[in-house]
Amino acid sequence: NIDEKKTELNVNPRIFHSIVGISTEATELLEALDLNGNKMDNINIGEEFGDIDWYKAIGIDEIDIDWDSILLSVIEKLKKRYPEKFNSNEANNRNLDDERKILNKMEDN
């Protein structure tokens, strides 16, 4: 007879479902990536992207932030970080405080 300890997570179940679902689907998406140069299964890749969107929709619905606000804030953040185009220096030396100020605008919309 094994004495089992029950662990209870104090986490919103819809957020948990969303994040674990996205993680699982992202792993499946990585598995669909063919590193041997063979023709990739674009139907499978499309399905995994769709599954990720499903789990994103659950999470976004639960946090009650408008999807358009999320996208616009992320675009603004990336334009500030990479005014010309992506480069490793700006990716590694970004100002997280400035980026957070931009992202906080999501709640205002």
Side-chain angles (χ1 to χ4, degrees), residues 28-42 45:
E28 292 179 16
L29 192 57
L30 280 169
E31 290 170 351
L33 185 62
D34 188 322
L35 301 176
N36 296 319
N38 299 320
K39 185 172 185 218
M40 290 192 293
D41 183 350
N42 290 339
I45 290 170

Side-chain angles (χ1 to χ4, degrees), residues 22 52-61 63-75 106 109:
I22 290 169
I52 288 170
D53 283 346
W54 173 257
Y55 287 111
K56 281 177 16 186
I58 292 169
I60 290 167
D61 179 65
I63 64 173
D64 197 29
I65 296 177
D66 179 68
W67 178 236
D68 289 340
S69 296
I70 293 171
L71 292 178
L72 291 172
S73 295
V74 169
I75 290 168
M106 282 187 252
N109 295 325

